[in-house]
Amino acid sequence: MLGVAIGGAFVNFNLIALPMSELVPAGSRIGGMPVSTVAALVVVLMEVAAGIFAMEMLGITSFFPKLDLLPASRRRIILVVSVGGLLLLACIECSLAVLREQLVDSATALKQSLAGVHEKAVADPAASRIPVVGQAVLGFILPWILAMVAVPLETLIATGGHIFLTLTAGVLALVGTGARLLGHASRYLVEGARHLYDIYIVLPLQIERLATGARPSISTAKQGARP
């Protein structure tokens, strides 16, 4: 369900990002991002926040335990404000979706005029309204879908600590195994280097010993051969 909510947030953001560019200054930027993008992101986050408070007041989630201590009248007020905010944001997004379709049509007409295409096919009015109605309905429904993100988000937060600790333990165990293997490899490498050094030292000594042992026997043989 969290994946569905994330997908809905992505669609919602792309649905209102274009018309937001007509409502805010186009040349302004915040942290390198266009103001229209930031405004669309703020609207999506406001919908999520309103949904979280609505679910909290309905008793479905428990993000803020202190809110349970409030009187029923205040909880009802917060619930009404949250649902009213969601309704207002849904209506705003519905209008932005309609504005988006108009902007797309205007951009298409501008491109056709720049390309020299003056003929315009006459479309069926009922068929031409279908995309507008579809985007308007989608813009109205998506905020309510985003409001449901509070339920899987609470589950994720509740189980996130356990998942994080499990992953951390697995990573540490993997690192420990790698370090142990590296230690064994280093020990065997040092042992091999020591044996190679012994061979490097012993071979010349053995050759020298054999050479010094052969010289006295040769000199003795020469002395015995003299008259």
Side-chain angles (χ1 to χ4, degrees):
M1 188 173 180
L2 184 61
V4 175
I6 293 175
F10 179 76
V11 174
N12 196 2
F13 174 79
N14 287 279
L15 188 64
I16 63 177
L18 178 61
M20 274 293 180
S21 61
E22 298 294 327
L23 302 178
V24 296
S28 302
R29 289 181 174 270
I30 298 177
M33 297 177 60
V35 178
S36 59
T37 302
V38 177
L41 184 61
V42 168
V43 171
V44 173
L45 293 178
M46 288 175 62
E47 293 170 356
V48 173
I52 289 175
F53 277 100
M55 294 297 170
E56 186 75 19
M57 294 302 103
L58 290 173
I60 299 176
T61 59
S62 58
F63 281 103
F64 311 103
K66 290 185 177 181
L67 293 179
D68 296 335
L69 303 177
L70 294 176
S73 58
R74 293 186 180 180
R75 291 174 59 87
R76 195 176 299 112
I77 291 173
I78 296 176
L79 177 61
V80 171
V81 171
S82 301
V83 175
L86 275 174
L87 180 61
L88 178 62
L89 290 172
C91 294
I92 292 174
E93 190 165 337
C94 181
S95 62
L96 289 176
V98 175
L99 178 60
R100 181 182 185 277
E101 186 64 25
Q102 294 177 357
L103 291 175
V104 171
D105 291 340
S106 300
T108 303
L110 179 61
K111 290 179 181 179
Q112 289 179 354
S113 63
L114 292 176
V117 179
H118 299 288
E119 296 182 357
K120 185 176 180 181
V122 178
D124 187 6
S128 62
R129 293 194 187 96
I130 291 177
V132 180
V133 174
Q135 292 193 18
V137 172
L138 186 63
F140 186 82
I141 292 176
L142 282 176
W144 303 99
I145 295 177
L146 286 180
M148 301 298 295
V149 76
V151 179
L153 185 61
E154 183 187 21
T155 305
L156 179 63
I157 293 175
T159 59
H162 178 69
I163 295 174
F164 177 75
L165 291 177
T166 303
L167 291 177
T168 303
V171 171
L172 291 178
L174 183 62
V175 172
T177 303
R180 186 164 57 251
L181 292 176
L182 183 61
H184 287 299
S186 301
R187 187 183 66 181
Y188 292 142
L189 183 62
V190 171
E191 290 291 333
R194 185 173 64 83
H195 290 306
L196 288 176
Y197 181 75
D198 291 340
I199 294 172
Y200 175 75
I201 295 298
V202 169
L203 281 179
L205 292 177
Q206 292 294 333
I207 294 172
E208 183 181 2
R209 184 178 301 173
L210 291 175
T212 54
R215 285 176 183 174
S217 60
I218 294 174
S219 60
T220 304
K222 288 182 178 180
Q223 290 177 1
R226 291 178 183 177

